[in-house]
């Protein structure tokens, strides 16, 4: 599968400089995405870009911005916000080993860099407008379905920034190249989308919903608490956002072997090695385990307190489906407040 690194972030944050450094490391082709002028053209060009890159002879690409402008700049300068982020990212992730890199810097550094280019008359320099751009990028990252890393170019030079990106990219390569166990002939090469901050201290684990044979188009997330298409995802997302944890989290599922129905409490006895590889490579400070089945996989007692087991801290919480049934949001408020305090 081809690879793509998408650099996103405000103008003058250091994307183009970082792209050149990453090209030295990867030999990937740099692709500059022009700014769009309308919703229809932006949508058409975004989807065409995926197909053009996929059909290109090159094996890897560094995108100096891509579809992100339709969600960040379009609301400010073109009076619309695109509504296809989930779908465009899903299309990208099906065809590429993909990493999203958010490049940013301190606000005053951004202003100073812009002024050094003698572009003082540009509307973008307006501080109120620039702050809205940054707010839109924050929302864009909160909504992304992709694995991402955040690079602060006020703190890291270009070589350090590239090294950080490559560390994340190589981690993900190990996950993308993971093969299913011999007992899982129906499991696809990449069993689920990898989502969240690659360097997050908090990992949230759930159970992959449904059996694979029930999802021939790879849409395992219909009843998921992990993916935005899932009915339970808003519950999880709402509380993570409330306690400023959303961009500090990596989300993943424990994968099960194909079963006729998702009602076998022992399915993790024959799980793929995917989850073990993922957990041992990332070594999170805290894992949040959704539901008793997930806790059982990690041999963690079903108790709502943080416990240290095997060098990692774990916290079992009720599954979002329990919250949906009971309406007990106060329980999740208490649990996620506990998570936030632990990670301070």
């Amino acid at each position: 599968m081809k690879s793509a690194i998408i650099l996103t972030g405000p103008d003058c944050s250091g994307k183009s400089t970082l792209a050149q450094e990453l090209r030295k490391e990867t030999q990937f082709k740099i692709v500059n995405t022009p700014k769009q002028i309308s919703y229809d053209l932006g949508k058409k060009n975004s989807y065409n870009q995926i197909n053009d890159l996929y059909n290109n002879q090159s094996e890897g690409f560094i995108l100096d911005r891509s579809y992100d402008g339709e969600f960040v700049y379009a609301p400010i300068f073109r009076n619309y916000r695109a509504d296809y982020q989930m779908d465009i990212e899903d299309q990208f992730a099906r065809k590429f080993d993909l990493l999203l890199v958010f490049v940013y810097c301190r606000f005053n550094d951004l202003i100073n860099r812009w002024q050094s280019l003698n572009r003082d008359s540009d509307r973008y320099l307006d501080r109120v407008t620039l702050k809205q751009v940054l707010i839109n990028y924050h929302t864009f990252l909160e909504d992304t379905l992709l694995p991402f890393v955040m690079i602060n170019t006020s703190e890291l030079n270009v070589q350090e920034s590239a090294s950080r990106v490559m560390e994340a990219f190589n981690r993900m390569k190990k996950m993308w190249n993971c093969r299913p166990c011999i007992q899982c002939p129906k499991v696809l090469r990449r069993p689920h989308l990898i989502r969240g901050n690659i360097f997050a201290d908090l990992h949230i684990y759930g159970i992959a919903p449904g059996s694979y044979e029930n999802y021939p188009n790879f849409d395992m997330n219909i009843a998921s608490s992990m993916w935005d298409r899932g009915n339970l995802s808003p519950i999880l997302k709402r509380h993570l956002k409330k306690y400023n944890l959303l961009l500090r989290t990596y989300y993943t599922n424990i994968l099960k072997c194909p079963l006729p129905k998702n009602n076998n409490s022992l399915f993790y006895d024959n799980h793929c090695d995917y989850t073990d590889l993922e957990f041992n490579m990332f070594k999170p400070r805290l894992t949040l385990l959704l539901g008793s089945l997930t806790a059982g996989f990690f041999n963690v007692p079903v108790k709502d307190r943080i416990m240290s087991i095997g060098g990692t801290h774990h916290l079992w919480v009720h599954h979002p489906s329990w919250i949906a049934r009971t309406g007990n949001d106060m329980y999740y408020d208490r649990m996620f407040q506990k998570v936030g305090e632990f990670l301070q």
Side-chain angles (χ1 to χ4, degrees):
M1 188 173 284
K2 296 186 177 187
S3 299
I5 299 174
I6 299 178
L7 302 181
T8 185
D11 291 350
C12 294
S13 59
K15 296 187 301 297
S16 298
T17 304
L18 179 56
Q20 294 295 333
E21 191 68 22
L22 289 171
R23 185 178 64 82
K24 298 176 186 177
E25 297 277 348
T26 61
Q27 302 303 308
F28 289 174
K29 180 179 180 179
I30 295 178
V31 178
N32 294 291
T33 305
K35 294 181 180 180
Q36 309 301 328
I37 59 174
S38 70
Y39 173 89
D40 291 336
L41 186 62
K43 185 173 184 178
K44 177 182 176 181
N45 289 342
S46 295
Y47 283 93
N48 285 345
Q49 183 182 62
I50 297 176
N51 294 324
D52 290 345
L53 295 178
Y54 186 73
N55 294 323
N56 192 287
Q57 292 183 349
S58 299
E59 289 301 312
F61 304 92
I62 300 167
L63 279 65
D64 190 347
R65 187 171 282 146
S66 181
Y67 58 92
D68 49 311
E70 293 298 278
F71 305 89
V72 176
Y73 293 101
I76 300 172
F77 299 114
R78 300 191 289 277
N79 298 317
Y80 68 86
R81 186 183 191 278
D83 54 4
Y84 49 85
Q85 181 176 354
M86 186 187 306
D87 187 68
I88 194 76
E89 291 180 341
D90 184 62
Q91 294 297 317
F92 250 122
R94 289 172 186 271
K95 294 186 175 181
F96 294 89
D97 290 339
L98 193 64
L99 178 67
L100 182 68
V101 180
F102 176 59
V103 185
Y104 69 105
C105 62
R106 287 189 287 266
F107 186 80
N108 286 338
D109 289 344
L110 206 58
I111 294 291
N112 292 335
R113 293 176 188 180
W114 193 263
Q115 290 175 334
S116 70
L117 297 177
N118 297 318
R119 298 172 69 174
D120 299 307
S121 62
D122 198 299
R123 283 196 301 161
Y124 180 76
L125 185 61
D126 177 84
R127 287 176 178 264
V128 175
T129 303
L130 181 53
K131 287 180 179 178
Q132 187 59 54
V133 167
L134 298 178
I135 290 171
N136 289 357
Y137 265 117
H138 193 274
T139 301
F140 173 77
L141 278 181
E142 288 182 337
D143 290 340
T144 188
L145 299 180
L146 303 178
F148 68 87
V149 61
M150 303 172 71
I151 300 295
N152 185 345
T153 57
S154 291
E155 297 180 356
L156 302 175
N157 63 36
V158 64
Q159 290 81 17
E160 293 168 334
S161 298
S163 177
R164 186 74 165 164
V165 172
M166 292 309 302
E167 181 183 353
F169 186 74
N170 289 330
R171 276 191 184 187
M172 301 319 299
K173 268 293 186 185
K174 292 181 181 179
M175 301 306 302
W176 292 320
N177 292 333
C178 178
R179 294 297 190 274
C181 69
I182 196 171
Q183 300 180 50
C184 301
K186 293 185 180 180
V187 178
L188 299 178
R189 171 180 175 270
R190 182 164 40 176
H192 68 277
L193 295 177
I194 299 168
R195 181 183 183 189
N197 191 333
I198 304 305
F199 295 114
D201 289 328
L202 173 64
H203 281 209
I204 298 182
Y205 283 86
I207 296 293
S211 61
Y212 294 92
E213 59 193 23
N214 290 340
Y215 297 91
N217 296 321
F218 194 46
D219 290 329
M220 295 196 315
N221 45 29
I222 292 174
S224 178
S225 54
M226 294 296 169
W227 317 122
D228 274 1
R229 282 193 180 93
N231 297 326
L232 300 173
S233 175
I235 297 173
L236 196 61
K237 188 173 180 179
R238 181 172 70 249
H239 289 86
L240 286 168
K241 189 172 183 178
K242 182 176 181 179
Y243 293 97
N244 196 30
L245 295 168
L246 194 56
L247 299 185
R248 302 164 58 192
T249 302
Y250 177 87
Y251 316 82
T252 190
N253 278 318
I254 297 168
L255 303 177
K256 68 188 186 68
C257 297
L259 294 170
K261 295 181 180 179
N262 188 16
N263 59 5
N264 186 341
S265 63
L266 300 179
F267 64 73
Y268 48 74
D269 289 344
N270 293 319
H271 76 284
C272 297
D273 293 333
Y274 191 95
T275 301
D276 288 339
L277 170 67
E278 194 173 36
F279 180 78
N280 292 326
M281 180 170 58
F282 284 80
K283 299 187 184 304
R285 281 181 60 198
L286 176 65
T287 64
L288 191 68
L289 309 177
L290 304 180
S292 57
L293 288 179
T294 311
F297 178 85
F298 284 96
N299 294 316
V300 172
V302 180
K303 298 179 180 179
D304 56 359
R305 66 173 185 268
I306 296 175
M307 291 172 281
S308 179
I309 300 175
T312 301
H313 289 84
H314 302 275
L315 175 62
W316 166 84
V317 297
H318 279 295
H319 194 274
S321 60
W322 183 85
I323 304 298
R325 290 195 306 270
T326 64
N328 191 354
D329 267 21
M330 292 182 63
Y331 168 81
Y332 258 18
D333 281 336
R334 189 169 71 252
M335 292 296 101
F336 280 93
Q337 183 177 6
K338 186 179 298 187
V339 170
E341 291 171 352
F342 178 85
L343 293 176
Q344 282 182 348

PDB file of all heavy atoms in Angstrom, residues 278-295:
ATOM      1  N   GLU A 278       0.304  -3.477  19.405  1.00  0.00           N
ATOM      2  CA  GLU A 278      -0.039  -2.067  19.586  1.00  0.00           C
ATOM      3  C   GLU A 278       0.269  -1.605  21.005  1.00  0.00           C
ATOM      4  O   GLU A 278       0.929  -0.577  21.213  1.00  0.00           O
ATOM      5  CB  GLU A 278      -1.526  -1.905  19.278  1.00  0.00           C
ATOM      6  CG  GLU A 278      -2.002  -0.501  19.083  1.00  0.00           C
ATOM      7  CD  GLU A 278      -3.447  -0.499  18.606  1.00  0.00           C
ATOM      8  OE1 GLU A 278      -4.240  -1.362  19.045  1.00  0.00           O
ATOM      9  OE2 GLU A 278      -3.783   0.365  17.795  1.00  0.00           O
ATOM     10  N   PHE A 279      -0.177  -2.366  21.978  1.00  0.00           N
ATOM     11  CA  PHE A 279      -0.011  -1.972  23.384  1.00  0.00           C
ATOM     12  C   PHE A 279       1.460  -1.941  23.783  1.00  0.00           C
ATOM     13  O   PHE A 279       1.935  -1.004  24.424  1.00  0.00           O
ATOM     14  CB  PHE A 279      -0.783  -2.947  24.284  1.00  0.00           C
ATOM     15  CG  PHE A 279      -0.671  -2.632  25.749  1.00  0.00           C
ATOM     16  CD1 PHE A 279      -1.428  -1.615  26.303  1.00  0.00           C
ATOM     17  CD2 PHE A 279       0.185  -3.346  26.556  1.00  0.00           C
ATOM     18  CE1 PHE A 279      -1.321  -1.316  27.653  1.00  0.00           C
ATOM     19  CE2 PHE A 279       0.296  -3.057  27.908  1.00  0.00           C
ATOM     20  CZ  PHE A 279      -0.466  -2.043  28.457  1.00  0.00           C
ATOM     21  N   ASN A 280       2.215  -2.975  23.395  1.00  0.00           N
ATOM     22  CA  ASN A 280       3.620  -3.051  23.793  1.00  0.00           C
ATOM     23  C   ASN A 280       4.485  -2.007  23.105  1.00  0.00           C
ATOM     24  O   ASN A 280       5.513  -1.572  23.648  1.00  0.00           O
ATOM     25  CB  ASN A 280       4.174  -4.450  23.503  1.00  0.00           C
ATOM     26  CG  ASN A 280       3.555  -5.512  24.388  1.00  0.00           C
ATOM     27  OD1 ASN A 280       3.229  -5.244  25.548  1.00  0.00           O
ATOM     28  ND2 ASN A 280       3.364  -6.708  23.854  1.00  0.00           N
ATOM     29  N   MET A 281       4.098  -1.582  21.922  1.00  0.00           N
ATOM     30  CA  MET A 281       4.874  -0.578  21.204  1.00  0.00           C
ATOM     31  C   MET A 281       4.595   0.830  21.739  1.00  0.00           C
ATOM     32  O   MET A 281       5.505   1.640  21.885  1.00  0.00           O
ATOM     33  CB  MET A 281       4.557  -0.638  19.710  1.00  0.00           C
ATOM     34  CG  MET A 281       5.326   0.378  18.878  1.00  0.00           C
ATOM     35  SD  MET A 281       5.150   0.092  17.110  1.00  0.00           S
ATOM     36  CE  MET A 281       3.370   0.187  16.916  1.00  0.00           C
ATOM     37  N   PHE A 282       3.358   1.125  22.078  1.00  0.00           N
ATOM     38  CA  PHE A 282       2.997   2.479  22.492  1.00  0.00           C
ATOM     39  C   PHE A 282       3.226   2.722  23.982  1.00  0.00           C
ATOM     40  O   PHE A 282       3.534   3.841  24.381  1.00  0.00           O
ATOM     41  CB  PHE A 282       1.533   2.750  22.147  1.00  0.00           C
ATOM     42  CG  PHE A 282       1.296   3.014  20.696  1.00  0.00           C
ATOM     43  CD1 PHE A 282       1.224   1.970  19.787  1.00  0.00           C
ATOM     44  CD2 PHE A 282       1.152   4.303  20.222  1.00  0.00           C
ATOM     45  CE1 PHE A 282       1.008   2.208  18.446  1.00  0.00           C
ATOM     46  CE2 PHE A 282       0.929   4.561  18.887  1.00  0.00           C
ATOM     47  CZ  PHE A 282       0.865   3.501  17.984  1.00  0.00           C
ATOM     48  N   LYS A 283       3.036   1.720  24.798  1.00  0.00           N
ATOM     49  CA  LYS A 283       3.241   1.822  26.248  1.00  0.00           C
ATOM     50  C   LYS A 283       2.619   3.102  26.829  1.00  0.00           C
ATOM     51  O   LYS A 283       3.311   3.994  27.319  1.00  0.00           O
ATOM     52  CB  LYS A 283       4.730   1.764  26.579  1.00  0.00           C
ATOM     53  CG  LYS A 283       5.399   0.466  26.148  1.00  0.00           C
ATOM     54  CD  LYS A 283       6.810   0.384  26.627  1.00  0.00           C
ATOM     55  CE  LYS A 283       7.497  -0.875  26.107  1.00  0.00           C
ATOM     56  NZ  LYS A 283       6.804  -2.117  26.450  1.00  0.00           N
ATOM     57  N   PRO A 284       1.303   3.217  26.796  1.00  0.00           N
ATOM     58  CA  PRO A 284       0.639   4.429  27.296  1.00  0.00           C
ATOM     59  C   PRO A 284       0.752   4.551  28.815  1.00  0.00           C
ATOM     60  O   PRO A 284       0.940   3.556  29.522  1.00  0.00           O
ATOM     61  CB  PRO A 284      -0.812   4.216  26.877  1.00  0.00           C
ATOM     62  CG  PRO A 284      -0.965   2.719  26.817  1.00  0.00           C
ATOM     63  CD  PRO A 284       0.349   2.211  26.312  1.00  0.00           C
ATOM     64  N   ARG A 285       0.629   5.780  29.296  1.00  0.00           N
ATOM     65  CA  ARG A 285       0.630   5.995  30.745  1.00  0.00           C
ATOM     66  C   ARG A 285      -0.642   5.442  31.370  1.00  0.00           C
ATOM     67  O   ARG A 285      -0.631   4.926  32.486  1.00  0.00           O
ATOM     68  CB  ARG A 285       0.723   7.492  31.051  1.00  0.00           C
ATOM     69  CG  ARG A 285       2.113   8.084  30.935  1.00  0.00           C
ATOM     70  CD  ARG A 285       2.090   9.563  31.292  1.00  0.00           C
ATOM     71  NE  ARG A 285       1.617   9.768  32.658  1.00  0.00           N
ATOM     72  CZ  ARG A 285       1.166  10.937  33.122  1.00  0.00           C
ATOM     73  NH1 ARG A 285       1.079  11.976  32.317  1.00  0.00           N
ATOM     74  NH2 ARG A 285       0.781  11.057  34.376  1.00  0.00           N
ATOM     75  N   LEU A 286      -1.755   5.575  30.628  1.00  0.00           N
ATOM     76  CA  LEU A 286      -3.039   5.136  31.173  1.00  0.00           C
ATOM     77  C   LEU A 286      -3.885   4.545  30.056  1.00  0.00           C
ATOM     78  O   LEU A 286      -3.958   5.107  28.962  1.00  0.00           O
ATOM     79  CB  LEU A 286      -3.779   6.328  31.801  1.00  0.00           C
ATOM     80  CG  LEU A 286      -5.194   6.065  32.341  1.00  0.00           C
ATOM     81  CD1 LEU A 286      -5.142   5.106  33.522  1.00  0.00           C
ATOM     82  CD2 LEU A 286      -5.873   7.374  32.752  1.00  0.00           C
ATOM     83  N   THR A 287      -4.487   3.404  30.321  1.00  0.00           N
ATOM     84  CA  THR A 287      -5.461   2.845  29.387  1.00  0.00           C
ATOM     85  C   THR A 287      -6.846   2.945  30.016  1.00  0.00           C
ATOM     86  O   THR A 287      -7.024   2.636  31.203  1.00  0.00           O
ATOM     87  CB  THR A 287      -5.177   1.369  29.050  1.00  0.00           C
ATOM     88  OG1 THR A 287      -5.315   0.567  30.235  1.00  0.00           O
ATOM     89  CG2 THR A 287      -3.778   1.203  28.487  1.00  0.00           C
ATOM     90  N   LEU A 288      -7.790   3.398  29.223  1.00  0.00           N
ATOM     91  CA  LEU A 288      -9.183   3.452  29.643  1.00  0.00           C
ATOM     92  C   LEU A 288      -9.896   2.302  28.953  1.00  0.00           C
ATOM     93  O   LEU A 288      -9.933   2.234  27.721  1.00  0.00           O
ATOM     94  CB  LEU A 288      -9.796   4.796  29.234  1.00  0.00           C
ATOM     95  CG  LEU A 288     -11.167   5.139  29.817  1.00  0.00           C
ATOM     96  CD1 LEU A 288     -11.058   5.366  31.319  1.00  0.00           C
ATOM     97  CD2 LEU A 288     -11.737   6.379  29.143  1.00  0.00           C
ATOM     98  N   LEU A 289     -10.439   1.388  29.729  1.00  0.00           N
ATOM     99  CA  LEU A 289     -10.998   0.145  29.206  1.00  0.00           C
ATOM    100  C   LEU A 289     -12.519   0.213  29.255  1.00  0.00           C
ATOM    101  O   LEU A 289     -13.124   0.302  30.324  1.00  0.00           O
ATOM    102  CB  LEU A 289     -10.488  -1.040  30.032  1.00  0.00           C
ATOM    103  CG  LEU A 289      -8.963  -1.079  30.219  1.00  0.00           C
ATOM    104  CD1 LEU A 289      -8.576  -2.246  31.122  1.00  0.00           C
ATOM    105  CD2 LEU A 289      -8.252  -1.173  28.884  1.00  0.00           C
ATOM    106  N   LEU A 290     -13.134   0.161  28.073  1.00  0.00           N
ATOM    107  CA  LEU A 290     -14.581   0.336  27.967  1.00  0.00           C
ATOM    108  C   LEU A 290     -15.287  -0.999  28.120  1.00  0.00           C
ATOM    109  O   LEU A 290     -15.281  -1.833  27.219  1.00  0.00           O
ATOM    110  CB  LEU A 290     -14.944   0.957  26.617  1.00  0.00           C
ATOM    111  CG  LEU A 290     -14.274   2.286  26.267  1.00  0.00           C
ATOM    112  CD1 LEU A 290     -14.729   2.760  24.897  1.00  0.00           C
ATOM    113  CD2 LEU A 290     -14.562   3.337  27.318  1.00  0.00           C
ATOM    114  N   GLY A 291     -15.897  -1.210  29.264  1.00  0.00           N
ATOM    115  CA  GLY A 291     -16.703  -2.403  29.469  1.00  0.00           C
ATOM    116  C   GLY A 291     -15.931  -3.568  30.049  1.00  0.00           C
ATOM    117  O   GLY A 291     -14.696  -3.619  30.040  1.00  0.00           O
ATOM    118  N   SER A 292     -16.667  -4.553  30.535  1.00  0.00           N
ATOM    119  CA  SER A 292     -16.071  -5.691  31.243  1.00  0.00           C
ATOM    120  C   SER A 292     -15.292  -6.613  30.311  1.00  0.00           C
ATOM    121  O   SER A 292     -14.285  -7.203  30.717  1.00  0.00           O
ATOM    122  CB  SER A 292     -17.160  -6.480  31.975  1.00  0.00           C
ATOM    123  OG  SER A 292     -18.155  -6.909  31.065  1.00  0.00           O
ATOM    124  N   LEU A 293     -15.734  -6.762  29.037  1.00  0.00           N
ATOM    125  CA  LEU A 293     -14.999  -7.622  28.114  1.00  0.00           C
ATOM    126  C   LEU A 293     -13.600  -7.070  27.848  1.00  0.00           C
ATOM    127  O   LEU A 293     -12.624  -7.812  27.797  1.00  0.00           O
ATOM    128  CB  LEU A 293     -15.761  -7.771  26.798  1.00  0.00           C
ATOM    129  CG  LEU A 293     -17.033  -8.614  26.817  1.00  0.00           C
ATOM    130  CD1 LEU A 293     -17.666  -8.639  25.432  1.00  0.00           C
ATOM    131  CD2 LEU A 293     -16.721 -10.034  27.277  1.00  0.00           C
ATOM    132  N   THR A 294     -13.517  -5.774  27.678  1.00  0.00           N
ATOM    133  CA  THR A 294     -12.219  -5.145  27.449  1.00  0.00           C
ATOM    134  C   THR A 294     -11.331  -5.297  28.676  1.00  0.00           C
ATOM    135  O   THR A 294     -10.142  -5.602  28.569  1.00  0.00           O
ATOM    136  CB  THR A 294     -12.399  -3.651  27.116  1.00  0.00           C
ATOM    137  OG1 THR A 294     -13.392  -3.513  26.110  1.00  0.00           O
ATOM    138  CG2 THR A 294     -11.102  -3.048  26.640  1.00  0.00           C
ATOM    139  N   ALA A 295     -11.894  -5.086  29.842  1.00  0.00           N
ATOM    140  CA  ALA A 295     -11.122  -5.267  31.076  1.00  0.00           C
ATOM    141  C   ALA A 295     -10.642  -6.705  31.205  1.00  0.00           C
ATOM    142  O   ALA A 295      -9.508  -6.962  31.617  1.00  0.00           O
ATOM    143  CB  ALA A 295     -11.977  -4.881  32.285  1.00  0.00           C
TER     144      ALA A 295
END
